[in-house]
Amino acid sequence: MKKSILSLAVFAAIPMLSSTQVFAADEAAESIEKIQVTGSRIKRTDMETSSPVTLIGADEIQAMGATSIDSVLQKMTAASGAMTNPAVNNGSGGNARVDLRGLGAQRTLVLVNGRRMINSGTGAASTVDLNTIPVSMIKQVEVLKDGASAVYGTDAVAGVVNIILKDDFEGLDMNLNGAITGEGDADETSFDITMGSSFDRGNVVIGIQYTDRGEASQADRDFSSCPLAEDFENGSTFCSGSTYSPNGRVWGETADLQGQADGGWHDFVAENDAYNFAPDSYLYTPMRRLNLTGIGHFELTDDTRLFSEFTYSKRWSNQQMAPQPVWFDFTYDQETMGDSLISHGVADGEAISYGRRMSDIGPRGYEQVVDTVRTVVGLEGDLDNGFGWDTSVVFGRNDAVDRATNLLNMGSIQDAIGKGTFNPLDQAHWTADNLAQYNYTENNSGGSQLVVVSAGLNGEVMELPAGYVGFAAGVEHREEKAWYVPDSLTAQGLANDPRVEPTGGRFDVNEAYLELAIPLVADTSFADNIDLSAAIRAFDYSTFGSDETWKLGLTWRVNDELMLRAVRSTAFRAPTVNELYQGKSPSFENVNFPGAQDQAEVTVGGNDQLTPELADTVTAGFVYAPSWFDGFSMTVDYYDIQIENSISNVNNQYIVDSCLDSATGDYTNTDSTLCQSANIKFNQSTGRISFNNQLQNIGSEQTKGYDLNLTYVFDAAGLAWRTGLDVTILDEYIVDTGTSTIDYTGIITSGIGSYADVKSNFTLNVAGDDWDARYQARYISGLDSYSCLAEDSKCLVPDVGTVIYHDVSGSYVINDTVSVSAGVNNLFDKQAPYFTGNNDSNTDPYTYDVLGRRFFAGVNIKF
């Protein structure tokens, strides 16, 4: 079978292949009859489709020193937004997510071997935790940067990540890897073993991987050792922190007092009395993870094959935060509580509010134990007429227990205050020994379950002048359920935080799809061939009813060097169980308002009236591999994704600005639907703001931009060289919440990550007979702080400059059995930048490297 220059360019674009491997890929390309590429269920003779697909090879994963696939995917230029990773301490739950186009992890579909992966994490998880994927078993990753709901169903709005595991491995492969930062922390050790054997009619592969990741503290980096506040008048920053401080704080009608260890009080002064919570918080979170994998296939007959997959992961993860802040109200009783407040203007019988940082009992610990299992059993084969068929059952289940330690049962303490047996104004009552009777561990449990039964048929149905029409058709039945059971004290509202409700629900869906590949023109003066691809999927959900989605694509191979391509499609995302049925719970979110605390108590939760998000996607581009420039290829693609009926919360700051008068603090716009729904409350004596902000179908989102890939492979000085440049240019990302319109292009936020105008990765590889080396530069363009858009004149650092990270690595083959590798990420120890309105650690851990220089090394043994 003759292959075009374009076809070979696609294979050559697979990252981190030595020259020997490239030739092997070329030879493999000659022998391939038909393959299935992510984004299509039709088997075809090449990898060139109308949709842009990025391939990441196992060698690149190894070269980056990665022991989990999230650290590779999150460095892609097409990834942005809030990608949960080990540097996210507050609220991460130990999860790892990928977020294509910054549209949210819930809009990126994750597949394993072309089939759905079970959502995993704590609670009623709505996205795939990438920790469940055994990186040692990955053959390659195909990333489709295009909407693909017509092919795969819900969630494939921003794109699809298809992780392909080793399914035909023979021999034994062992790896021992270790990593540590230049500061001597965040150490990591990973061991894996892969064993495979073939027999007369099949193959079995078994993989085991164990990873142990250590922690780093915010106290151990200069940039994060203390939360910074800005003195705009003097143009400087100072060490600040939380207004909830040790020894207690009292708010009265006219008093704002800070407690002292000796029992006295003085006027609260933020510069002196704010609590530095950074030393008790992780900069990088620890985790232990076990992955077990088994993949096999067996030829039942010459035309029928049985296949199966099994993956199991167990994760033990931890986060640590500053001691618990507590707050409550009571009436000052001089007789039982003493007269310490009288001289400070607090009258006997006055209603006061009390807040305290519980350094008396130590920092809060958060622990998760997460078990995730996924099994696939199926049959596939060929019919006498040449059609291929397959049927399979996918079962997945996620069970998790999460714990929070060093919490106080404030319900019991307030009861004791009412009985006169606990005096909150007496420091002796807040000692660890006295508080032991009120200390408790919160235990929550949750999980999710997935069942997919599917059957499909594919082949060629008729011959046209330009070639055969290919098709794929099938039906699927999917059931999902999820649940979350909060701790009994939390569920009753007896803890310090407000009441958290349980979550529970399910849905099922029946789907049918049809996909066609139609050759329109072949072997003409203006085109080698022109192909049309079309797909349609109809679905019927138990939660909201029926609809359909479609896709049209066109590829025009002008000649042996140039191919043009374009896709127009619709996509959808059905609301998850968690979005539909999540119980109400508190979330503490950053807001800015005169006289208010910097965190508002926001009640969040699901909405069983939600309907699906709908999207229109367009991609268009070309692939060019000129014969006059041997070894060079390039792809350029434009993308435009428009989402309507998006499921989201209203911007928290917008609710505050819309429903409170900044001059007086009084309620405004009380007749508006927004403010009535929010039911905002503002206690001006304590500065505490609270409101509701549950999920709704509101507004729209649109993002568009360009992807550029340049690859050049050549030989020089007796060595094999490869250069690659990936660039994503964000032209626009506009979010219309129905109440406001925000363009996030070039913006960094305090909670949803960043949206850089330009992100690029430059890679240079060189290989000899028994060694190879790699250099990569990762570029993130400058960003403006969202918090400073309205009035940057009051921000000391309203923007962040360009950041470039440099990574180097290499490997050496000692003999046929043993090879070693080593490298350094963030070679020049680039520090995470500070900006006004930062997220955590005085920076944005979603976007920037917080660890600094990091060394890694490994040894590989194979037989």
Side-chain angles (χ1 to χ4, degrees):
M1 177 180 62
K2 181 181 179 181
K3 301 297 291 182
S4 68
I5 295 175
L6 285 174
S7 299
L8 301 182
V10 171
F11 279 100
I14 300 176
M16 272 306 296
L17 295 176
S18 69
S19 59
T20 302
Q21 291 168 310
V22 171
F23 292 139
D26 293 344
E27 293 170 4
E30 294 292 341
S31 64
I32 290 175
E33 290 301 322
K34 290 186 178 180
I35 57 176
Q36 185 170 305
V37 182
T38 300
S40 173
R41 295 182 185 272
I42 299 175
K43 294 184 177 181
R44 58 193 75 225
T45 57
D46 55 48
M47 298 193 67
E48 303 154 16
T49 69
S50 55
S51 298
V53 177
T54 295
L55 285 81
I56 302 173
D59 285 350
E60 181 175 22
I61 297 171
Q62 182 181 19
M64 296 174 73
T67 56
S68 59
I69 192 58
D70 61 287
S71 61
V72 176
L73 296 175
Q74 291 178 358
K75 292 176 182 177
M76 292 180 57
T77 61
S80 60
M83 294 178 290
T84 309
N85 61 73
V88 180
N89 180 55
N90 187 358
S92 71
N95 296 305
R97 317 287 190 198
V98 62
D99 186 353
L100 293 180
R101 306 300 188 198
L103 291 172
Q106 73 277 16
R107 294 178 180 139
T108 298
L109 177 62
V110 177
L111 307 174
V112 175
N113 291 338
R115 299 177 181 87
R116 285 183 177 268
M117 184 62 187
I118 174 71
N119 292 335
S120 179
T122 54
S126 295
T127 54
V128 172
D129 178 14
L130 295 174
N131 286 306
T132 60
I133 309 297
V135 70
S136 61
M137 286 289 293
I138 294 176
K139 180 191 299 184
Q140 71 178 37
V141 180
E142 297 178 1
V143 181
L144 173 70
K145 295 176 288 186
D146 188 10
S149 288
V151 178
Y152 296 114
T154 183
D155 302 339
V157 176
V160 177
V161 175
N162 187 12
I163 299 168
I164 301 172
L165 304 182
K166 300 172 182 176
D167 61 353
D168 205 13
F169 179 80
E170 294 184 62
L172 185 146
D173 191 290
M174 293 187 296
N175 292 281
L176 177 63
N177 298 290
I180 196 167
T181 71
E183 301 293 330
D185 54 16
D187 56 302
E188 185 170 23
T189 303
S190 178
F191 172 76
D192 64 77
I193 180 169
T194 304
M195 300 169 285
S197 178
S198 294
F199 45 93
D200 288 344
R201 303 183 70 88
N203 177 270
V204 174
V205 184
I206 297 174
I208 302 171
Q209 180 177 354
Y210 178 77
T211 302
D212 189 346
R213 184 178 73 209
E215 78 273 3
S217 170
Q218 292 184 16
D220 295 332
R221 300 294 188 278
D222 290 340
F223 70 87
S224 62
S225 61
C226 180
L228 298 177
E230 297 183 353
D231 181 355
F232 186 78
E233 298 298 326
N234 296 312
S236 61
T237 60
F238 61 92
C239 183
S240 182
S242 170
T243 58
Y244 289 90
S245 49
N247 301 318
R249 184 178 175 188
V250 164
W251 294 270
E253 293 180 3
T254 58
D256 183 0
L257 306 174
Q258 169 63 44
Q260 299 172 188
D262 61 4
W265 302 87
H266 63 256
D267 289 340
F268 180 85
V269 179
E271 289 84 350
N272 301 323
D273 297 322
Y275 172 71
N276 178 7
F277 50 79
D280 290 317
S281 298
Y282 285 146
L283 182 71
Y284 200 75
T285 58
M287 180 193 69
R288 291 180 296 123
R289 185 184 71 230
L290 173 67
N291 295 96
L292 304 176
T293 310
I295 299 177
H297 64 264
F298 180 75
E299 304 288 342
L300 296 175
T301 70
D302 291 341
D303 298 321
T304 305
R305 186 172 80 155
L306 170 70
F307 61 88
S308 64
E309 302 169 17
F310 172 82
T311 60
Y312 169 77
S313 70
K314 191 176 187 71
R315 166 166 62 89
W316 301 265
S317 50
N318 301 83
Q319 303 83 47
Q320 181 174 288
M321 295 179 62
Q324 181 183 12
V326 300
W327 57 92
F328 50 89
D329 301 323
F330 60 89
T331 300
Y332 178 40
D333 182 0
Q334 181 180 349
E335 181 178 350
T336 60
M337 298 180 181
D339 60 1
S340 62
L341 298 181
I342 296 296
S343 61
H344 295 279
V346 180
D348 185 26
E350 182 176 333
I352 64 175
S353 294
Y354 184 90
R356 187 183 186 94
R357 180 66 62 168
M358 295 308 305
S359 54
D360 315 87
I361 59 174
R364 288 165 290 172
Y366 297 90
E367 306 168 3
Q368 301 86 34
V369 180
V370 185
D371 292 272
T372 306
V373 64
R374 176 182 181 269
T375 61
V376 180
V377 177
L379 294 169
E380 62 184 4
D382 298 308
L383 301 176
D384 292 339
N385 61 1
F387 287 2
W389 61 272
D390 66 272
T391 182
S392 65
V393 177
V394 178
F395 173 82
R397 185 176 173 99
N398 162 234
D399 289 281
V401 174
D402 64 282
R403 302 181 179 90
T405 60
N406 268 353
L407 303 181
L408 288 181
N409 184 339
M410 291 309 303
S412 296
I413 289 180
Q414 287 180 278
D415 288 342
I417 293 173
K419 295 175 182 177
T421 59
F422 190 100
N423 181 4
L425 303 181
D426 185 353
Q427 297 294 340
H429 282 229
W430 292 101
T431 63
D433 289 342
N434 192 52
L435 292 171
Q437 60 187 312
Y438 304 109
N439 196 318
Y440 81 100
T441 296
E442 180 181 274
N443 288 279
N444 312 299
S445 63
S448 56
Q449 185 170 295
L450 169 73
V451 177
V452 183
V453 181
S454 63
L457 193 67
N458 65 84
E460 295 175 341
V461 291
M462 59 183 299
E463 185 178 9
L464 298 178
Y468 285 91
V469 176
F471 85 98
V475 293
E476 293 183 0
H477 173 77
R478 187 170 81 254
E479 298 179 3
E480 294 190 35
K481 66 178 182 179
W483 60 92
Y484 175 68
V485 181
D487 184 272
S488 60
L489 286 178
T490 306
Q492 297 175 71
L494 298 178
N496 186 56
D497 293 341
R499 179 174 179 264
V500 174
E501 298 177 349
T503 296
R506 64 171 301 280
F507 67 80
D508 61 76
V509 56
N510 294 308
E511 300 178 280
Y513 64 87
L514 173 65
E515 185 182 356
L516 298 173
I518 307 170
L520 302 179
V521 176
D523 300 324
T524 67
S525 59
F526 62 89
D528 282 356
N529 54 67
I530 300 176
D531 296 332
L532 174 70
S533 60
I536 186 169
R537 174 178 288 258
F539 48 85
D540 183 14
Y541 276 79
S542 61
T543 44
F544 59 82
S546 304
D547 207 340
E548 66 279 329
T549 183
W550 55 266
K551 175 180 179 179
L552 287 175
L554 189 72
T555 58
W556 176 11
R557 290 172 175 80
V558 179
N559 51 41
D560 217 25
E561 303 177 359
L562 176 64
M563 182 185 77
L564 310 179
R565 61 188 180 191
V567 175
R568 172 71 189 278
S569 67
T570 62
F572 76 101
R573 188 180 75 84
T576 65
V577 171
N578 195 49
E579 290 171 330
L580 290 167
Y581 307 116
Q582 180 189 14
K584 295 179 183 178
S585 63
S587 178
F588 297 92
E589 304 291 343
N590 291 331
V591 297
N592 294 312
F593 191 79
Q597 299 175 22
D598 56 6
Q599 284 193 325
E601 181 187 306
V602 183
T603 298
V604 298
N607 179 355
D608 61 8
Q609 300 302 307
L610 292 173
T611 57
E613 297 178 336
L614 306 175
D616 286 309
T617 68
V618 174
T619 61
F622 65 86
V623 181
Y624 183 48
S627 58
W628 54 268
F629 192 176
D630 187 39
F632 175 80
S633 65
M634 69 180 298
T635 64
V636 177
D637 290 285
Y638 165 81
Y639 66 89
D640 185 345
I641 304 172
Q642 300 182 53
I643 303 172
E644 301 291 339
N645 210 37
S646 61
I647 299 171
S648 184
N649 305 100
V650 178
N651 181 275
N652 291 311
Q653 187 64 50
Y654 185 83
I655 291 177
V656 172
D657 294 342
S658 299
C659 304
L660 292 178
D661 188 317
S662 61
T664 65
D666 295 336
Y667 307 127
T668 62
N669 298 323
T670 54
D671 293 334
S672 71
T673 302
L674 173 66
C675 294
Q676 288 179 350
S677 173
N679 191 28
I680 197 166
K681 305 293 183 185
F682 179 32
N683 186 329
Q684 297 195 43
S685 63
T686 64
R688 191 183 309 157
I689 295 176
S690 61
F691 56 89
N692 296 328
N693 193 6
Q694 291 169 252
L695 291 171
Q696 303 177 50
N697 286 108
I698 52 175
S700 62
E701 300 183 35
Q702 180 175 13
T703 184
K704 55 186 177 181
Y706 304 87
D707 291 325
L708 168 69
N709 171 266
L710 304 176
T711 303
Y712 180 40
V713 181
F714 62 97
D715 292 328
L719 302 173
W721 300 79
R722 172 183 300 276
T723 61
L725 177 66
D726 285 303
V727 182
T728 294
I729 301 171
L730 179 61
D731 184 54
E732 181 178 275
Y733 181 29
I734 295 176
V735 177
D736 182 351
T737 65
T739 54
S740 63
T741 300
I742 306 166
D743 187 351
Y744 285 104
T745 310
I747 300 298
I748 189 167
T749 72
S750 63
I752 58 172
S754 65
Y755 299 86
D757 293 289
V758 179
K759 294 180 72 175
S760 70
N761 292 337
F762 170 77
T763 306
L764 173 64
N765 300 309
V766 56
D769 292 336
D770 51 12
W771 63 271
D772 64 70
R774 178 180 185 267
Y775 163 77
Q776 184 178 57
R778 295 178 282 124
Y779 172 95
I780 305 171
S781 63
L783 295 156
D784 296 324
S785 172
Y786 176 80
S787 300
C788 301
L789 294 181
E791 194 172 3
D792 65 359
S793 60
K794 293 186 178 180
C795 295
L796 284 184
V797 186
D799 53 57
V800 180
T802 295
V803 172
I804 304 176
Y805 296 109
H806 303 268
D807 306 328
V808 295
S809 65
S811 65
Y812 177 72
V813 178
I814 297 176
N815 53 44
D816 291 342
T817 302
V818 181
S819 61
V820 294
S821 59
V824 184
N825 289 333
N826 196 351
L827 178 64
F828 300 113
D829 201 23
K830 182 71 175 179
Q831 179 175 292
Y834 169 82
F835 62 95
T836 305
N838 56 78
N839 179 4
D840 192 17
S841 307
N842 296 313
T843 187
D844 180 26
Y846 291 124
T847 302
Y848 299 112
D849 176 10
V850 299
L851 287 180
R853 186 182 294 114
R854 193 162 191 254
F855 304 91
F856 63 89
V859 58
N860 170 259
I861 299 174
K862 62 180 60 177
F863 298 97

